[in-house]
Amino acid sequence: MLDLTRCVHHPAVNETGYASLAVATYRASTIVYPDPHSFAARHQRSLDDYTYGLHGTPTTRVLEAQLTALHGGERTILVPSGQAAVTAVMLSVLMPGDKVLIPDHVYPPVRSFCRDYLKPRGIDYAVYDPLIGAGIAGLIDDSVKLVWVEPCGSGTMEIQDVPAIAAAAKAKGALVGCDNTWATPLIFKPLAHGADFACEALTKYVGGHSDLLLGSITVSDLGLRRQIVTTLRGMGIGVSPDECQLALRGIETMGVRLAHIGRVSEDFARRLAQAPAVEAVQHPALPSCPGHEVWKRDMGRSSGVFSIALRPVADETLQAALATLKVFAIGASWGGTRSLVAPMAVAGERTVSPWTRQGTLLRISIGLEDPQDLWADIEEMLHALKADVAKVA
Ligand SMILES: *Cc1c(COP(=O)(O)O)cnc(C)c1O
C-alpha cells in the first residue's frame, strides 16, 4: 500500500477491552456493503438497519432508543429542531382538504406554519380554546385528521386535558399530536394519555446547555413511523450525530436538573404571587392557574418555565426594571443552565380565547444559578416596577 492510499484507509485497531461509558460519535454519509448483492438489496433493509448516514448511525439510534424508552413508545424519529418535529407530523399525516386543530396557546411558529404554509396548499386549520377539554368533539368534523395539543402552553401556561381531548379525537378517527416540550417525558408521557405523536424540542431540557438544536417524535405505531420517515427521507432531512452526542450527554443530567428547577420555579411562583407589581402568576402548580386540577391529576410536578403578568406600567419603567437584571439574561429558547426572562406579546397572538391582561407578560425560565442570587435579581426588578405601579394605580 502506498502513502496516498494509506492516508485514506484507516488501520483497524484492537477494540478488545475498550469499554467506555460515553456514547461514541459515529459520523457517516457512505455506508459500505460487504458485496454487490447486499448493495443492490439495500432498499429492502428495514428502517432499523443502516443504509445511508442521513438515515441514521449508531449514535442517532442510541438517542432514539433512549427517548423511546422514556416515552414508553415503539420508535422515535429525530429531526433538526423542535419546530421540525411539529411540522414533520403535520406534513406526514395531512392531505389537501384535511384540517388540523391547534390550541390558542400553541408555540407561535406552529400557528404561522399552519397559516402561511399549510393553508395556501389546501390544508385548513382552526384554532381552539386550550381549556376546551372534551368539548373539542364539537369541532371535529370529517375533515379534521389531526388535533394538536400543548399540555402546558409555554407562555400563558394553561394546562390542557389531554386524555379528554384524545378520547374525543379517537372517537372521531382523528390523530393526536402533542408538543411535550415544557414537561419532558419525565413529567408527562403523552402516549400513555392517548396521543399518537409525542414531540419534544430536545433543544430545551434534553440538551440543557443552550448549545444544540434537535427535535424528536415518538410513536407507538410503526405505520405512523413509516409515514414520517418517508416524508423526511423524501425531503432529505436528517440530523447530525454531533448534535445527538451533545443531547446524549445532556439527557444524563436532565432528571436532577429538572427536579431542582421545578422546586425553585414553584417556590418563586408562590413568592411572586405576593408581589404588588405582579397582577397574576401563571404557574401550573398554583391553584389560580387554568387547568391546575388537570396538572395535579396528570403531572404533579413542574419544570422551570412560568410567567408573571405584570401590573401595567409605563414602558420606560419596564425597560428600566429589566435593565436591573444581572443574573437573569433576556432571551428565548429556555431549558439551559442560565435563567432567562422574555417579555411576551400575547394579546396579538390569541384569536379564540382573548388574553385580557393589560400589563406585560414576562416569561421566566429558571436555570441552575444559586436561587438566592436569582431571587435577589427578581426583587430588584420588582422594586424598580413598584414605584410606577403605585402611580398608575
Ligand atoms: C422551543 C419550542 C419549540 C421549538 O423548538 P426548536 O428546537 O427551537 O425549534 C417547539 N415547541 C415548544 C413548546 C417550544 O418551547
Side-chain angles (χ1 to χ4, degrees):
M1 204 181 270
L2 300 175
D3 279 355
L4 288 183
T5 310
R6 280 206 179 96
C7 284
V8 297
H9 282 237
H10 300 290
V13 298
N14 176 22
E15 291 182 13
T16 314
Y18 176 73
S20 162
L21 291 173
V23 180
T25 306
Y26 290 96
R27 294 198 198 91
S29 53
T30 300
I31 304 284
V32 293
Y33 297 77
D35 53 59
H37 295 294
S38 49
F39 178 63
R42 66 191 181 283
H43 300 299
Q44 273 126 54
R45 291 190 175 187
S46 89
L47 296 184
D48 295 322
D49 292 327
Y50 299 105
T51 50
Y52 187 45
L54 188 65
H55 305 155
T57 78
T59 307
T60 64
R61 294 288 154 81
V62 174
L63 181 58
E64 288 171 3
Q66 202 159 0
L67 292 164
T68 299
L70 283 169
H71 271 294
E74 275 297 324
R75 289 295 189 284
T76 294
I77 303 128
L78 297 173
V79 288
S81 69
Q83 171 73 359
V86 181
T87 59
V89 171
M90 293 185 174
L91 290 170
S92 300
V93 305
L94 297 169
M95 299 294 278
D98 292 347
K99 190 198 249 185
V100 54
L101 303 181
I102 56 173
D104 214 2
H105 67 191
V106 74
Y107 178 62
V110 172
R111 185 192 295 255
S112 307
F113 177 75
C114 291
R115 186 189 57 223
D116 302 333
Y117 188 90
L118 294 182
K119 179 98 180 171
R121 287 164 179 76
I123 297 170
D124 202 5
Y125 73 102
V127 182
Y128 67 90
D129 179 349
L131 299 170
I132 198 167
I136 194 124
L139 300 179
I140 306 178
D141 59 24
D142 287 346
S143 69
V144 173
K145 295 297 185 319
L146 179 67
V147 177
W148 199 256
V149 294
E150 221 176 287
C152 179
S154 53
T156 48
M157 315 305 298
E158 303 95 328
I159 297 286
Q160 295 198 264
D161 191 339
V162 177
I165 293 173
K170 282 280 129 63
K172 303 226 174 176
L175 293 164
V176 177
C178 175
D179 182 340
N180 197 48
T181 302
W182 182 85
T184 83
L186 296 183
I187 296 179
F188 188 70
K189 298 189 195 296
L191 301 178
H193 289 87
D196 298 286
F197 305 96
C199 297
E200 305 281 348
L202 306 179
T203 306
K204 308 280 170 57
Y205 287 127
V206 168
H209 295 76
S210 313
D211 57 1
L212 68 87
L213 290 148
L214 271 182
S216 64
I217 306 153
T218 304
V219 296
S220 311
D221 181 294
L222 294 180
L224 293 178
R225 180 241 201 161
R226 180 168 287 280
Q227 241 174 296
I228 293 176
V229 168
T230 302
T231 303
L232 293 173
R233 287 191 179 188
M235 292 180 145
I237 292 172
V239 299
S240 155
D242 295 291
E243 300 286 276
C244 294
Q245 214 290 329
L246 287 174
L248 284 163
R249 171 189 283 225
I251 204 170
E252 293 185 19
T253 57
M254 180 168 68
V256 285
R257 284 187 281 112
L258 267 188
H260 170 75
I261 63 179
R263 272 195 305 273
V264 175
S265 85
E266 289 185 15
D267 176 38
F268 281 16
R270 292 197 181 92
R271 291 201 232 171
L272 279 160
Q274 313 299 320
V278 175
E279 181 158 331
V281 177
Q282 307 281 130
H283 191 301
L286 299 189
S288 59
C289 187
H292 169 73
E293 291 302 321
V294 173
W295 171 82
K296 264 207 308 210
R297 184 193 69 195
D298 294 346
M299 299 186 185
R301 286 179 53 201
S302 305
S303 66
V305 174
F306 65 102
S307 296
I308 54 178
L310 299 175
R311 288 194 199 282
V313 291
D315 192 52
E316 316 82 78
T317 309
L318 177 64
Q319 300 310 322
L322 290 173
T324 67
L325 295 170
K326 294 177 209 65
V327 186
F328 279 89
I330 295 175
S333 202
W334 38 270
T337 59
R338 292 285 306 272
S339 295
L340 300 176
V341 299
M344 314 271 289
V346 182
E349 277 170 353
R350 308 285 286 219
T351 51
V352 300
S353 43
W355 184 255
T356 53
R357 301 208 186 277
Q358 300 296 308
T360 297
L361 190 72
L362 268 194
R363 186 176 67 194
I364 295 178
S365 170
I366 300 296
L368 299 180
E369 304 90 341
D370 192 298
Q372 278 190 43
D373 282 332
L374 291 174
W375 186 252
D377 224 24
I378 288 181
E379 275 193 316
E380 193 159 341
M381 179 188 72
L382 292 174
H383 185 75
L385 288 167
K386 207 168 66 183
D388 204 41
V389 165
K391 249 188 286 164
V392 173

